[in-house]
Amino acid sequence: MTDAVDPPAERLLHDLGITEPSEIDVEVIACAVGAVVRYRHLGVGDARIVGLGDRAIITVDDRASRVRQRFSVAHELGHWHHHRGQQLICHGAADQRDGAVGCECEADGYAADLLMPRFMLEPLVAGVPMSFDLVYQVAAAFGVSAMAAALRLADVHPAAFALVVEEADGRRWFRRSASLNPRWFVRSAASDMRATADRCRLPRANVAFAAPAQQWFLGQGVKDAEAMYAIDRMACGRAVHLVAVT
């Protein structure tokens, strides 16, 4: 089997006989692949891994939230699987260079596969419309942050949608679902998004409405499509816009 069909993190779960989200114990999984997890105060970063031969020590910041700690362990296990024997220095996204971005993306992908494997997540979302309610349901079921759950749903959920994320510093980026028309592009600035975001001050803003898809997308055929729009301001401080094509 190829990794695309059966990713290494999911193969590991199968090998360990893990079949339910509640069984995904990252410390036990780490032990199974030769890594010990320790919790300490870290001055920089959320976690780090040091390995020698087939043994490793993962150190995680003990001040981080539990969901962040779990993702950090899974991320470092991604490095342990993909980059064993390499010397890596992980920086913030703005400082990544010389291939570090690719390594970090690989580790994040491994973490998502380990914490929210398709064979568990797909049955949960089958027939359920994409929404922020579903995002929070997945986050609770798998013990991850709402942000991680939303991004994973973009990989797994069959609906055609985009997530547009606004960082606290004003930067904006987006993630498209696999089913979204690849010839459609998310507008770089949508006035309705900004106006709606400015009206939303609660941690979870219950805003949802239908509107023409061309308010948020550019591309052939978009003028004939409708979309459902919602916004949520997550605990991480990011405003996340969900635009689902109906």
Side-chain angles (χ1 to χ4, degrees):
M1 288 188 180
T2 65
D3 284 0
V5 174
D6 196 8
E10 294 199 20
R11 290 203 301 269
L12 177 59
L13 294 174
H14 286 304
D15 290 344
L16 296 174
I18 295 173
T19 59
E20 300 292 335
S22 60
E23 299 171 349
I24 304 175
D25 186 321
V26 291
E27 288 84 5
V28 172
I29 293 170
C31 184
V33 296
V36 175
V37 180
R38 297 177 177 175
Y39 294 90
R40 302 283 189 274
H41 173 76
L42 293 179
V44 178
D46 293 316
R48 63 178 178 231
I49 184 169
V50 177
L52 180 63
D54 60 354
R55 309 296 295 176
I57 297 175
I58 296 172
T59 306
V60 181
D61 194 337
D62 59 8
R63 300 167 299 170
S65 67
R66 181 54 184 163
V67 295
R68 185 63 191 171
Q69 289 175 342
R70 292 184 74 247
F71 196 91
S72 293
V73 173
H75 177 96
E76 298 306 328
L77 288 175
H79 283 311
W80 187 230
H81 175 83
H82 288 293
H83 313 125
R84 192 177 306 192
Q86 300 180 34
Q87 184 175 6
L88 297 174
I89 300 176
C90 301
H91 302 278
D95 298 324
Q96 292 176 343
R97 56 189 181 276
D98 297 331
V101 172
C103 291
E104 294 306 297
C105 287
E106 275 191 308
D108 277 347
Y110 186 97
D113 288 335
L114 187 71
L115 297 178
M116 295 166 282
R118 282 181 179 270
F119 72 90
M120 295 185 196
L121 185 54
E122 285 179 340
L124 180 64
V125 305
V128 181
M130 180 61 191
S131 67
F132 282 117
D133 284 341
L134 180 60
V135 168
Y136 281 91
Q137 180 185 348
V138 168
F142 289 88
V144 298
S145 69
M147 191 74 246
L151 295 175
R152 183 58 169 167
L153 284 168
D155 296 331
V156 173
H157 199 284
F161 66 92
L163 297 167
V164 183
V165 182
E166 290 188 60
E167 300 285 354
D169 61 4
R171 289 182 297 119
R172 176 180 283 183
W173 53 276
F174 69 90
R175 176 76 65 87
R176 63 170 59 241
S177 72
S179 298
L180 186 65
N181 189 328
R183 296 183 178 180
W184 287 10
F185 299 92
V186 178
R187 290 182 181 272
S188 60
S191 59
D192 286 313
M193 276 190 183
R194 172 57 63 187
T196 305
D198 290 343
R199 291 197 298 268
C200 298
R201 301 304 182 189
L202 298 177
R204 293 191 62 196
N206 186 20
V207 177
F209 59 90
Q214 63 182 347
Q215 288 191 9
W216 299 285
F217 299 109
L218 293 169
Q220 185 176 6
V222 70
K223 66 179 182 179
D224 300 320
E226 293 291 316
M228 183 64 69
Y229 169 76
I231 181 173
D232 193 292
R233 194 171 296 280
M234 295 185 173
C236 59
R238 298 179 175 113
V240 180
H241 310 262
L242 168 61
V243 187
V245 180
T246 56

